[in-house]
Amino acid sequence: MTTYLPTFDDNLLERLRGAVRGDIIEPDDPGYDEARKVYNAMHDKRPAIIVRAVDAGDVIATVDFAREQNLLLAVRGGSHSVPGHGTCDGGVVLDLGRMRGIRVDPEARTVRAEGGCTWADVNHATHAFGLATTGGVVSSTGIGGLTLGGGMGYLARRCGLSCDNLVSVDLVTADGRFLTCTEDHHPDLFWAVRGGGGNFGVVTSFAYRLHPVADILGGPTFYPLDGDVMRGYRRLIAESEENLGALLVVTLGPPLPFLPERWHGRPVCAVITCWTGSEAEDDRVRARLAEIGPIVGQHVGRIPYPVINTLFDALLPAGLYHYWKGHFSRGLPDPAIDAHLTYGATIPSLESATVIFPIDGACHRVGPEETAFVYRDSDFATALSPALTTRADCEATIDWTRDYSSALQPHSAEGGYVNFMDQDDQDRVRVNYRQNYDRLTELKQRYDPGNLFRLNHNIRP
Ligand code: FAD
């Protein structure tokens, strides 16, 4: 049998097999090449073992196995980690993708979702009850990595970050303990997982608070790439109620029927709206969109909330080559807008975008030290998120992204959002957590002194 572990002991593998109900996939198994793939094609790694867990017992057995064998452990939820933290060479991949159980409690307005769920799973389940919580804007993103890093989406202004909506998590710690963490039970861990990423254990299930959100007014409005349009968007966010979720996207005009052909492939701004207020006010929202600047294409209407979170899905299938950078900012300063105009003019592909998420409103009502997610004074989180269909131009695109990020840095906070960062941002971890970093380090020392969970934006014990 081919193995990538020089000290591998077949007896221990047999013991793991006895303990795991899910799949254990090794390099010689027929499904191996499919099972080792992650969303970002930049990462082509060959783990020694992939465990596709089906329950908390499988997770505990796998964590124990990796720790006892001193093996590198990669934890994978939805697999969207841009730095490829869901895979590794020669170690163990713990894939939670088969753990997708969901239970909505419509009376308590909560949902408990297993660690391998995507936002498509959660949005579908909660929409049946006219409820929702803040989640990602692409439906295939995992709830796991997104929530543990913070979690931004259309509902953030009204409902807070995904992590702000957590009411409890079931967590398997590095020593294989299963802990239910809430404000009252293991509050230190509950604090740390709300922003601290996958550093503290494997979350087998997340319980979130839900909000009444059913059908919304949503969709994209396209404008020319122009400073006045970006300033118009800035005004829209500053002046609108919190139930207006609206992302600003700088991208190339997609070849879609509602966008005239002359805009296809040309740099544009798009405002993606998700108005969760009353239908009676839809016309007022449309009028505000018209005030931003000259509309060159629009596809906005009443749709179920889950649909707005599938808008980018077809454009962003698994298997593209991604390289990202993340920034936080107070307001959208004019020099930052200038940088967006400069780099937006040379955006590398249809799949590439700069996405600006507003994180004011309810996100600001949580104090910087109430959760590990610290940037409560930022109004916007910006993702520079180029993606390519082939590897050929990756080097040039990485350089372009780094230059763009350097141009934004003087007009941004020192740290950025961990979920929009790449592997070469590890030296920013301290500034990403500001004054919370020392407390996170202490908790890491207490709960994971051996740094078993280190494939992440790593808080070192
Ligand atoms: P994975 O690769 O499966 O996991 C990433 C890391 O998270 C793992 O290595 C592990 O450290 C940790 N992890 C995941 N699940 C668990 C778990 N159950 N227990 C413990 N640790 C776990 N972010 C936003 O905030 N809002 C968005 O709208 C948004 N949109 C995105 C769209 C795309 C196309 C992509 C690629 C990313 C987007 N992101 C967004 C960033 C996203 O939050 C991160 O990529 C996040 O890591 C994805 O989580 P995942 O579970 O899919 O990833």
Side-chain angles (χ1 to χ4, degrees):
M1 178 187 296
T2 314
T3 172
Y4 292 85
L5 297 175
T7 58
F8 205 67
D9 177 341
D10 273 349
N11 291 330
L12 293 165
L13 181 59
E14 279 319 304
R15 206 175 78 190
L16 184 69
R17 280 192 198 289
V20 166
R21 276 187 68 215
D23 317 304
I24 296 185
I25 303 168
E26 291 178 83
D28 285 346
D29 291 337
Y32 177 75
D33 279 329
E34 202 46 43
R36 72 186 177 86
K37 274 187 195 158
V38 288
Y39 177 82
N40 183 358
M42 290 277 195
H43 308 287
D44 182 19
K45 303 248 166 111
R46 303 187 67 82
I49 295 182
I50 300 163
V51 179
R52 301 189 67 222
V54 295
D55 59 20
D58 286 3
V59 172
I60 293 169
T62 309
V63 166
D64 286 344
F65 177 78
R67 186 191 62 252
E68 285 164 6
Q69 298 307 300
N70 203 16
L71 295 171
L72 198 55
L73 174 65
V75 179
R76 188 191 299 172
S79 157
H80 272 205
S81 162
V82 176
H85 288 149
T87 187
C88 60
D89 275 326
V92 179
V93 167
L94 172 53
D95 182 347
L96 305 174
R98 289 185 64 189
M99 293 177 59
R100 308 279 272 266
I102 302 188
R103 183 176 188 278
V104 181
D105 181 338
E107 264 183 47
R109 286 192 178 162
T110 57
V111 59
R112 182 168 280 285
E114 283 190 300
C117 287
T118 62
W119 285 106
D121 299 329
V122 171
N123 292 338
H124 177 266
T126 62
H127 184 70
F129 301 94
L131 298 169
T133 197
T134 306
V137 304
V138 172
S139 81
S140 53
T141 304
I143 65 169
L146 183 137
T147 303
L148 293 169
M152 294 159 194
Y154 295 108
L155 302 183
R157 301 186 72 219
R158 171 176 155 184
C159 308
L161 303 174
S162 306
C163 74
D164 299 338
N165 287 287
L166 279 180
V167 290
S168 92
V169 296
D170 286 337
L171 183 78
V172 175
T173 53
D175 56 3
R177 279 182 298 160
F178 178 87
L179 304 177
T180 296
C181 308
T182 66
E183 291 281 5
D184 301 320
H185 293 95
H186 309 289
D188 51 353
L189 277 173
F190 190 57
W191 176 86
V193 298
R194 287 177 290 164
N199 275 285
F200 298 92
V202 183
V203 178
T204 56
S205 76
F206 297 83
Y208 302 87
R209 198 173 300 117
L210 296 173
H211 309 264
V213 176
D215 287 357
I216 56 123
L217 179 76
T221 304
F222 288 91
Y223 309 85
L225 175 62
D226 183 273
D228 285 339
V229 168
M230 299 189 91
R231 280 180 279 276
Y233 167 79
R234 183 172 69 187
R235 215 168 34 249
L236 175 81
I237 295 300
E239 293 172 1
S240 297
E241 302 89 323
E242 290 169 8
N243 37 20
L244 182 74
L247 310 182
L248 178 63
V249 180
V250 177
T251 187
L252 295 178
L256 295 170
F258 54 84
L259 192 64
E261 240 180 84
R262 67 179 185 285
W263 290 99
H264 295 180
R266 271 175 70 182
V268 290
C269 284
V271 173
I272 321 296
T273 309
C274 174
W275 166 251
T276 63
S278 99
E279 191 170 354
E281 292 178 84
D282 283 4
D283 285 345
R284 190 168 57 82
V285 174
R286 287 179 184 279
R288 285 196 173 169
L289 290 170
E291 284 166 14
I292 289 179
I295 293 175
V296 298
Q298 190 175 46
H299 194 60
V300 170
R302 280 262 139 200
I303 50 173
Y305 171 74
V307 173
I308 190 72
N309 294 294
T310 60
L311 208 71
F312 301 109
D313 285 14
L315 194 66
L316 297 171
L320 301 178
Y321 296 82
H322 293 257
Y323 177 82
W324 289 26
K325 290 281 171 204
H327 292 273
F328 286 122
S329 62
R330 282 189 179 187
L332 274 184
D334 280 338
I337 288 179
D338 291 342
H340 291 307
L341 297 178
T342 303
Y343 288 89
T346 54
I347 207 146
S349 68
L350 274 177
E351 294 78 12
S352 300
T354 295
V355 185
I356 300 178
F357 289 73
I359 47 166
D360 56 346
C363 307
H364 284 189
R365 287 195 287 278
V366 178
E369 289 157 31
E370 277 182 59
T371 66
F373 184 97
V374 72
Y375 276 89
R376 302 292 179 168
D377 55 352
S378 289
D379 304 308
F380 295 98
T382 298
L384 309 183
S385 49
L388 302 176
T389 52
T390 63
R391 196 179 264 285
D393 296 323
C394 284
E395 290 311 316
T397 297
I398 289 171
D399 288 345
W400 175 87
T401 317
R402 286 183 178 150
D403 292 347
Y404 189 172
S405 175
S406 300
L408 282 183
Q409 191 55 57
H411 320 295
S412 307
E414 197 180 358
Y417 177 35
V418 287
N419 279 348
F420 293 162
M421 294 203 168
D422 225 302
Q423 190 53 24
D424 55 359
D425 287 312
Q426 285 288 348
D427 60 351
R428 291 178 76 191
V429 175
R430 179 178 279 277
V431 293
N432 294 338
Y433 292 106
R434 282 179 167 165
Q435 69 265 35
N436 289 341
Y437 186 78
D438 289 343
R439 183 172 172 196
L440 285 164
T441 310
E442 278 165 32
L443 291 171
K444 183 74 173 176
Q445 177 64 32
R446 189 173 329 149
Y447 289 101
D448 185 16
N451 207 5
L452 178 65
F453 302 113
R454 62 182 175 277
L455 288 176
N456 43 45
H457 289 283
N458 194 220
I459 294 158
R460 294 206 175 82

